[in-house]
Amino acid sequence: DVKVTQSSRYLVKRTGEKVFLECVQDMDHENMFWYRQDPGLGLRLIYFSYDVKMKEKGDIPEGYSVSREKKERFSLILESASTNQTSMYLCASSLTSGGWDTQYFGPGTRLTVL
Amino acid sequence: EDKVVQSPLSLVVHEGDTVTLNCSYEVTNFRSLLWYKQEKKAPTFLFMLTSSGIEKKSGRLSSILDKKELFSILNITATQTGDSAVYLCAVEDSGNTGKLIFGQGTTLQVKP
């Protein structure tokens, strides 16, 4: 079974803090993604990576950065957390080929910024 | 700007009812359309559609794509309380490796 894990299920941080969200997949997937999910807005892509040390901006990269030093790990970084970054964050991974029915999501991290 | 729009945003039905969820899209480089079901945790995959007019079916769920009119529908027959979830539609952008553009989701509540 493919497994995508995220470091925390719930996280509470203060405005201005640096926040790290970690995602690990165990299926040697090439592509990894970070989304945030907000009511009424669906899932929005923040960043994605199609190889180690490669990253591409998604639709809403402002205020975020990412790191992919190893194939299995994709980190999302909030340099200086703000209250409008309170959200559910979902990580996903997929194969490069085989169709997008092979995209797998992690359980999500609910981040609250006070 | 590429976009995916789902309707309705929320729906309340009773067990046994049939529901139809809609997804329309405007995506320049369309590769496929996907439906996901999201309960309390992460989305789980339901269907991937790439060709017009070919119905995909899984139990009480079915889906079809119309690439001319740029929409898809997801049908659920004989609904059960376990069908209560958020249903997400996403379109894969072939111009951007792996990028999925999601709709806002439809929240379905099935009452006993």
Side-chain angles (χ1 to χ4, degrees):
Chain A
D1 255 3
V2 173
K3 208 166 187 181
V4 180
T5 56
Q6 294 183 228
S7 50
S8 307
R9 292 298 310 279
Y10 300 93
L11 210 51
V12 180
K13 295 290 181 181
R14 295 208 173 273
T15 300
E17 280 193 83
K18 191 167 185 175
V19 183
F20 291 88
L21 302 182
E22 297 277 315
C23 176
V24 178
Q25 49 92 5
D26 66 358
M27 274 298 288
D28 205 34
H29 284 177
E30 303 286 337
N31 299 334
M32 295 187 76
F33 307 85
W34 275 106
Y35 297 92
R36 64 176 282 179
Q37 184 173 25
D38 301 288
L41 296 175
L43 280 165
R44 292 179 293 166
L45 181 64
I46 305 171
Y47 267 96
F48 65 101
S49 167
Y50 51 87
D51 202 353
V52 176
K53 296 194 187 291
M54 305 299 285
K55 60 185 179 186
E56 292 280 344
K57 291 181 180 179
D59 298 314
I60 51 162
E62 296 78 19
Y64 303 95
S65 62
V66 290
S67 172
R68 187 134 181 235
E69 296 297 318
K70 293 185 178 181
K71 194 175 187 180
E72 68 271 18
R73 190 178 297 268
F74 192 36
S75 303
L76 180 69
I77 303 150
L78 287 66
E79 294 291 340
S80 177
S82 62
T83 54
N84 64 12
Q85 292 178 309
T86 291
S87 187
M88 170 70 89
Y89 289 87
L90 286 165
C91 173
S93 73
S94 68
L95 298 168
T96 50
S97 60
W100 290 102
D101 55 344
T102 51
Q103 181 163 115
Y104 295 89
F105 284 84
T109 296
R110 187 165 291 284
L111 172 67
T112 303
V113 182
L114 301 175
Chain B
E1 185 188 335
D2 292 338
K3 63 180 179 182
V4 177
V5 178
Q6 291 184 245
S7 63
L9 292 183
S10 66
L11 195 53
V12 180
V13 300
H14 288 93
E15 272 192 317
D17 288 350
T18 293
V19 298
T20 298
L21 310 183
N22 302 291
C23 175
S24 64
Y25 62 91
E26 293 175 26
V27 175
T28 306
N29 300 303
F30 175 93
R31 173 179 284 172
S32 64
L33 185 144
L34 300 98
W35 284 97
Y36 288 86
K37 177 182 181 182
Q38 184 175 18
E39 296 170 272
K40 290 183 181 176
K41 295 183 179 179
T44 53
F45 170 79
L46 293 175
F47 298 111
M48 182 176 74
L49 304 154
T50 53
S51 302
S52 271
I54 299 173
E55 185 184 53
K56 292 240 176 158
K57 206 168 165 62
S58 175
R60 296 175 294 103
L61 277 66
S62 64
S63 184
I64 198 160
L65 173 68
D66 185 328
K67 290 170 76 173
K68 186 180 173 187
E69 299 298 328
L70 308 182
F71 76 92
S72 173
I73 59 171
L74 175 68
N75 274 322
I76 310 174
T77 59
T79 52
Q80 301 170 357
T81 54
D83 295 326
S84 296
V86 175
Y87 290 84
L88 292 165
C89 171
V91 172
E92 182 192 356
D93 180 348
S94 63
N96 242 320
T97 307
K99 182 178 174 181
L100 292 180
I101 304 158
F102 282 87
Q104 321 94 303
T106 295
T107 301
L108 172 66
Q109 184 184 357
V110 181
K111 292 187 171 181

